């Protein structure tokens, strides 16, 4: 098991989102660390100068973060520990235990340790970053290995109900069976039903190169002001994000 590759445009977008939505709050990023998959094309869209159009776009949005990602790409080995080492976000903490392991009940114990990590840091924001996003309807048919690519609704609930947590951000990968708009619409409807009266649900689409979206569950409505600021900052024909 190796630390997941770091430094692609998806990572840049994720940290950009967290930085501008939660500039003063303590953040816990929960990596769902999965076996190394450097044989595929993940991470091929990098924030570096050889990709001049993408680099200039990122540089124009957040110069400091673009420069840090450029430094990451100068390293011989790129792994998620670099995000903490280089202080990509000064207020972010990283839970980096692998989601797959030996022994019955390993994942249950993994969840307990992740929860204790969040509590120990008194994080008010939690970002869940599985490879593919939220469990599909066919989750129980997948092997234990493949299940490691997803977070579950039960885990989402466990993180959301922590007393210290005010906001939960969940990464979601688009699939090919439905349009992107339909997937975001269904995600919003699902979470509004599950968290009715408990959370404000916001869907934020990451636009460049590798489309993906984030589901934001907020216990308080004060996130709306920051959300509008983010939308204004990214407004334009090449907007990094759009709020659905």
């Amino acid at each position: 098991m190796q630390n997941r590759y770091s430094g692609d445009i998806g990572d840049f977008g994720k940290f950009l989102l967290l930085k501008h939505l939660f500039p003063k709050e303590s953040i816990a990023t929960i990596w769902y660390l999965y076996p190394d998959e450097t044989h595929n094309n993940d991470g091929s869209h990098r924030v570096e100068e050889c990709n001049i159009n993408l680099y200039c776009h990122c540089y124009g949005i957040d110069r400091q973060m673009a420069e840090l990602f450029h430094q990451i790409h100068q390293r011989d080995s790129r792994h998620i520990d670099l995000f903490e080492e280089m202080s990509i976000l000064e207020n972010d903490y990283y839970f980096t235990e692998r989601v797959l392991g030996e022994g019955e009940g390993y994942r249950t114990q993994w969840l307990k340790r992740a929860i204790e990590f969040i509590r120990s840091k008194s994080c008010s924001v939690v970002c869940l970053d599985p490879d593919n996003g939220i469990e599909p309807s066919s989750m129980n048919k997948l092997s234990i290995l493949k299940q490691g690519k997803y977070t579950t609704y039960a885990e989402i609930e466990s993180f959301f109900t922590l007393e210290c947590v005010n906001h939960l951000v969940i990464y979601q990968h688009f699939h090919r069976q439905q349009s992107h708009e339909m997937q975001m619409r269904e995600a919003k409807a699902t979470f509004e039903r599950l968290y009715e009266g408990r959370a404000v649900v916001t869907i934020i689409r990451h636009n460049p190169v590798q489309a993906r979206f984030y589901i934001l569950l907020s216990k308080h409505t004060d996130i709306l002001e920051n959300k509008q600021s983010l939308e204004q900052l990214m407004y334009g024909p090449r907007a990094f994000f759009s709020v659905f």
Side-chain angles (χ1 to χ4, degrees):
M1 183 78 66
Q2 299 180 20
N3 280 354
R4 192 162 61 188
Y5 169 89
S6 69
D8 70 358
I9 190 64
D11 286 324
F12 180 86
K14 175 183 62 188
F15 287 117
L16 186 70
L17 182 69
L18 295 173
K19 178 178 179 178
H20 287 281
L21 278 182
F22 310 108
K24 298 179 181 180
E25 300 193 54
S26 294
I27 303 167
T29 295
I30 309 299
W31 298 97
Y32 280 61
L33 287 190
Y34 195 74
D36 179 61
E37 293 188 310
T38 53
H39 59 276
N40 64 28
N41 290 325
D42 289 351
S44 59
H45 299 286
R46 303 172 183 175
V47 184
E48 53 186 332
E49 288 180 287
C50 62
N51 192 345
I52 190 65
N53 292 331
L54 188 58
Y55 179 79
C56 288
H57 186 41
C58 294
Y59 193 90
I61 290 174
D62 193 311
R63 175 176 178 171
Q64 180 185 29
M65 187 172 291
E67 288 182 344
L68 287 173
F69 269 74
H70 179 61
Q71 291 175 31
I72 287 174
H73 284 286
Q74 307 311 303
R75 302 291 189 96
D76 293 331
S77 176
R78 293 186 295 273
H79 51 82
I80 63 171
D81 293 343
L82 288 175
F83 292 134
E84 186 168 13
E85 179 184 323
M86 300 180 70
S87 298
I88 293 294
L89 296 180
E90 295 181 359
N91 56 333
D92 202 358
Y93 302 94
Y94 306 93
F95 183 73
T96 57
E97 289 192 30
R98 59 185 184 179
V99 68
L100 300 175
E102 299 296 329
E104 184 177 355
Y106 175 88
R107 184 152 175 171
T108 299
Q109 294 304 313
W110 174 89
L111 175 62
K112 289 180 180 179
R113 291 192 293 271
I115 286 172
E116 284 308 309
F117 177 83
I118 294 166
R119 285 176 173 157
S120 70
K121 304 297 184 182
S122 299
C123 293
S124 58
V125 179
V126 174
C127 177
L128 305 185
D129 192 19
D131 271 13
N132 286 351
I134 301 167
E135 62 176 304
S137 58
S138 60
M139 182 74 160
N140 61 352
K141 298 179 182 179
L142 298 177
S143 67
I144 295 297
L145 183 65
K146 290 298 183 184
Q147 288 179 9
K149 283 181 168 284
Y150 301 93
T151 186
T152 68
Y153 286 105
E155 289 169 354
I156 291 169
E157 177 69 9
S158 295
F159 290 124
F160 180 81
T161 53
L162 289 174
E163 187 175 355
C164 63
V165 173
N166 292 326
H167 308 285
L168 186 64
V169 181
I170 310 156
Y171 168 82
Q172 182 62 35
H173 192 76
F174 282 117
H175 57 72
R176 299 179 181 179
Q177 282 70 50
Q178 293 175 305
S179 69
H180 290 179
E181 182 176 351
M182 181 61 70
Q183 291 177 59
M184 291 187 291
R185 191 180 304 280
E186 288 188 356
K188 186 175 179 65
T190 295
F191 279 94
E192 285 181 338
R193 173 176 55 81
L194 291 174
Y195 289 87
E196 183 177 3
R198 296 194 291 155
V200 176
V201 181
T202 306
I203 305 296
I204 301 177
R205 187 182 192 274
H206 174 280
N207 294 317
V209 186
Q210 299 168 325
R212 63 199 73 196
F213 68 99
Y214 294 90
I215 300 158
L216 171 60
L217 306 179
S218 302
K219 293 179 181 176
H220 306 294
T221 57
D222 59 4
I223 190 63
L224 297 178
E225 181 178 349
N226 281 348
K227 184 190 74 173
Q228 291 166 356
S229 298
L230 176 74
E231 194 170 21
Q232 292 168 5
L233 177 66
M234 306 306 170
Y235 180 78
R238 298 186 64 201
F240 225 88
F241 301 104
S242 53
V243 180
F244 181 75

